[in-house]
Amino acid sequence: MSQYLSDVWKCRYFWLSLVKNDLRARYSRSVIGIGWSLLNPLLMTIVLSVVFHGVFGMDIKEFGLYLLTGICFWNFIASVVSSGCNCLFQGEAYIRQFPAPMAIYPLRTVLSSSFHFLVALVVVIVLKWGVGGFGNLSALPSLIPALLLLFVFGWSLALLAGFATAYFPDTRHLSEVLLQMLYFATPIMYPPEMLRGKGMGWVVDYNPLAALVNLLREPILKGVKPSVDTFGMATGSVILIGFFAVVTLVRLQRKIIFQL
Amino acid sequence: MACIRLEDFSLTFRVRQNRRRSFKEYLVRQMFRESVNPVMEVRALQHVDLTVRDGERLGIIGRNGAGKSTMLKVLAGIYPPTGGRLVVEGRVSSLFDLSLGFEPEASGWENIAYRGYLQGETPTSIRSKIQAIADFTELGDFLNLPVRHYSSGMLVRLAFAIATAIDPEILLVDEVLSVGDMSFQTKALQRMRDMMSKARVIVMVSHDLSSIMRFCDRAIWLDEGRVCQIGPTKEIVEAYTASASAAIAKAA
């Protein structure tokens, strides 16, 4: 495996420049360009805050940031899955010409999604400082392992989505439905207590995505390091999905060319 | 030392006659154990034994669909064997599907760099070559445009210039001697000659028998995925031409 990773590292100039190109191409004809990475989650939050405040009478200051963190996280997951489905087709021309390690194509996907995610995350942190002061500084270093976990999670997810789509083109549509379901099963736009109160706490407790989003929310919003339970749950699920991704690579990476 | 060895090598494509299988069909198949959408097996290469030693220039000839290009892709490490073994020692550079694999939104300059990186260049090593590559393409200011505005001929010029800018140990060539317009063809031919004199092993596919005769010292004649004959270029080309003209005579 370390041999494989070093092969991936060897073509770093290739995938890094593709990522750079993807980021630029995405906004190549827009006026504010990369600013959309900032504006998108901000506008979403404003809309949702107004709705939640007006309709459900929730406190915007607290809840707005809670929402914003959730939305940033979810945008990352959703974009990793949806562009992950395309990643091998996107790289098809390269796959047909050079025997490079297949993991670089989902890596390209996850890196460009990560960029937008990080920009949005910085916005969240700065807003929190503006609203609630610098009380969370001591907890912020715990974001580093959290982001690493999230990165591996996203890479594996994109890889699995890419291979699954190559074998079953229907995956693309299926994954949209699944994402929609997961969106409601994960406390993105509602507080987890809401489910607990209805006796559905298990949805949150056994949901790896809930653990992952908590890794972001607890240090940023509450200023506390995530609990060992949360870290355990998140690490466990990352290891599991990473394992599936590695098995997929080992078994299918040479054969995938026949499916493209 | 560069060398290539194929031992009892087979490659079978399983192609859906209709479409790729859907998830629904997969489930149905698992339940009823029969396919609604039959698989057609294409035996692209069958039991090929071949050794190309250091210093050899091998030409592959045969009819359309005989497995020539597939063979090159196997040697490049793109298709895995479905039977047998493949050993390749040495740095491989391949010239096929030239106009594929560009980022349409990126400029010509950037695409030179991307391809270069994929061929193992680094930002430092590409910097010293990029001007020479650009000059060879003769595309001038067009290199600043996104490549989606390029004509197919311009793309081939670009691709050829990049692919031939490195010194490979093993060079795999598929019908690229006919690229571009007339002036570029002359240049390309010269470039190919240079490369061929430097590379240690060359495998080339062409329908142009005279260039096979000129460049190769050994030839292999493929028919329907099998090795029909292998030996000195002249003999093989003569045997192939004889069989082809016999086929034409029979048809007429």
Side-chain angles (χ1 to χ4, degrees):
Chain A
M1 189 158 142
S2 64
Q3 174 59 42
Y4 191 81
L5 285 177
S6 97
D7 285 348
V8 169
W9 182 243
K10 257 184 222 152
C11 33
R12 64 189 174 282
Y13 298 117
F14 175 63
W15 45 260
L16 277 175
S17 33
L18 286 189
V19 170
K20 217 163 42 177
N21 179 47
D22 286 347
L23 292 177
R24 220 180 20 192
R26 178 158 159 185
Y27 297 124
S28 63
R29 284 169 224 176
S30 93
V31 184
I32 54 172
I34 222 91
W36 278 113
S37 308
L38 292 175
L39 265 180
N40 181 318
L42 271 179
L43 292 177
M44 273 296 276
T45 306
I46 292 173
V47 171
L48 285 173
S49 298
V50 167
V51 171
F52 274 78
H53 182 69
V55 181
F56 302 106
M58 285 175 166
D59 175 29
I60 292 190
K61 237 190 203 173
E62 278 295 304
F63 194 67
L65 279 170
Y66 178 88
L67 258 181
L68 185 53
T69 329
I71 289 171
C72 294
F73 170 78
W74 194 259
N75 279 350
F76 173 71
I77 297 290
S79 83
V80 159
V81 173
S82 64
S83 41
C85 283
N86 285 326
C87 70
L88 293 180
F89 292 106
Q90 192 188 20
E92 185 179 347
Y94 300 114
I95 297 175
R96 286 191 184 284
Q97 286 188 68
F98 302 93
M102 289 296 158
I104 65 173
Y105 303 103
L107 182 62
R108 170 185 185 180
T109 303
V110 73
L111 281 176
S112 39
S113 305
S114 299
F115 178 82
H116 300 293
F117 171 66
L118 284 180
V119 170
L121 202 65
V122 169
V123 175
V124 176
I125 294 175
V126 170
L127 278 180
K128 174 67 187 170
W129 286 341
V131 174
F134 296 90
N136 61 5
L137 276 182
S138 63
L140 285 185
S142 74
L143 278 181
I144 294 170
L147 291 177
L148 272 177
L149 282 175
L150 208 54
F151 176 74
V152 177
F153 188 83
W155 192 359
S156 313
L157 203 60
L159 192 146
L160 291 172
F163 276 78
T165 310
Y167 277 91
F168 310 110
D170 312 38
T171 308
R172 206 170 281 137
H173 307 285
L174 211 59
S175 70
E176 278 171 26
V177 180
L178 280 177
L179 271 178
Q180 195 64 52
M181 277 163 59
L182 278 172
Y183 181 67
F184 288 112
T186 313
I188 299 298
M189 42 171 227
Y190 57 83
E193 290 75 30
M194 212 166 100
L195 281 185
R196 290 235 162 72
K198 297 207 168 68
M200 289 173 69
W202 55 271
V203 173
V204 180
D205 293 336
Y206 295 104
N207 183 347
L209 294 173
L212 283 168
V213 72
N214 267 344
L215 287 186
L216 303 175
R217 275 177 178 155
E218 285 180 8
I220 298 176
L221 303 180
K222 295 187 191 152
V224 294
K225 293 195 179 76
S227 66
V228 177
D229 278 1
T230 313
F231 254 119
M233 178 73 191
T235 313
S237 15
V238 169
I239 290 177
L240 194 68
I241 192 173
F243 173 77
F244 280 124
V246 170
V247 170
T248 306
L249 267 185
V250 169
R251 296 200 47 187
L252 300 177
Q253 93 150 340
R254 299 290 318 275
K255 289 190 216 149
I256 196 72
I257 179 98
F258 298 129
Q259 303 296 331
L260 294 176
Chain B
M1 275 297 276
C3 82
I4 297 171
R5 216 162 49 243
L6 288 176
E7 289 164 9
D8 193 28
F9 190 99
S10 296
L11 179 66
T12 307
F13 293 107
R14 296 165 59 83
V15 190
R16 297 260 146 196
Q17 286 174 13
N18 198 342
R19 281 175 304 148
R20 249 168 301 185
R21 89 176 112 178
S22 69
F23 189 66
K24 184 185 78 187
E25 196 220 334
Y26 182 74
L27 284 181
V28 170
R29 237 158 74 88
Q30 291 305 305
M31 281 190 275
F32 300 108
R33 291 275 159 208
E34 64 182 61
S35 178
V36 207
N37 189 2
V39 179
M40 190 171 126
E41 291 208 337
V42 180
R43 291 163 189 270
L45 293 172
Q46 303 178 60
H47 309 291
V48 176
D49 282 294
L50 173 71
T51 310
V52 190
R53 286 181 203 84
D54 201 283
E56 271 190 316
R57 274 100 181 84
L58 179 77
I60 305 180
I61 55 178
R63 294 187 307 160
N64 290 129
K68 304 183 297 294
S69 302
T70 309
M71 176 93 119
L72 274 196
K73 294 201 166 181
V74 162
L75 299 181
I78 302 206
Y79 291 130
T82 43
R85 227 160 73 86
L86 162 75
V87 183
V88 175
E89 287 166 24
R91 195 157 85 110
V92 179
S93 168
S94 40
L95 295 177
F96 46 69
D97 288 351
L98 274 186
S99 41
L100 295 177
F102 284 108
E103 289 298 316
E105 291 295 331
S107 72
W109 291 107
E110 286 158 340
N111 272 296
I112 294 179
Y114 301 163
R115 281 257 185 139
Y117 297 152
L118 203 50
Q119 292 174 357
E121 301 288 340
T122 63
T124 5
S125 71
I126 199 86
R127 207 168 300 141
S128 58
K129 290 181 184 168
I130 200 161
Q131 193 56 50
I133 296 175
D135 290 345
F136 191 82
T137 63
E138 291 173 11
L139 290 175
D141 288 339
F142 285 115
L143 285 172
N144 298 321
L145 289 180
V147 299
R148 71 192 151 85
H149 297 301
Y150 285 25
S151 73
S152 57
M154 289 159 80
L155 278 181
V156 170
R157 274 175 177 246
L158 188 59
F160 184 87
I162 305 166
T164 54
I166 53 167
D167 297 331
E169 291 173 332
I170 298 178
L171 179 64
L172 309 172
V173 192
D174 190 354
E175 293 284 12
V176 290
L177 294 173
S178 50
V179 295
D181 51 34
M182 227 151 69
S183 72
F184 192 73
Q185 270 188 34
T186 325
K187 252 172 85 170
L189 199 64
Q190 187 51 47
R191 172 67 70 94
M192 283 299 300
R193 280 204 196 100
D194 291 350
M195 269 190 105
M196 291 202 154
S197 61
K198 278 188 232 156
R200 318 196 56 165
V201 168
I202 290 162
V203 181
M204 76 182 259
V205 166
S206 184
H207 286 291
D208 176 13
L209 297 177
S210 64
S211 58
I212 292 267
M213 296 267 263
R214 191 156 17 130
F215 287 121
C216 305
D217 40 35
R218 207 153 73 105
I220 177 169
W221 171 12
L222 285 183
D223 193 44
E224 295 184 350
R226 291 175 185 280
V227 178
C228 219
Q229 277 190 45
I230 182 164
T233 315
K234 198 157 175 289
E235 275 174 35
I236 304 297
V237 167
E238 273 164 14
Y240 174 66
T241 327
S243 118
S245 23
I248 294 168
K250 207 170 149 194

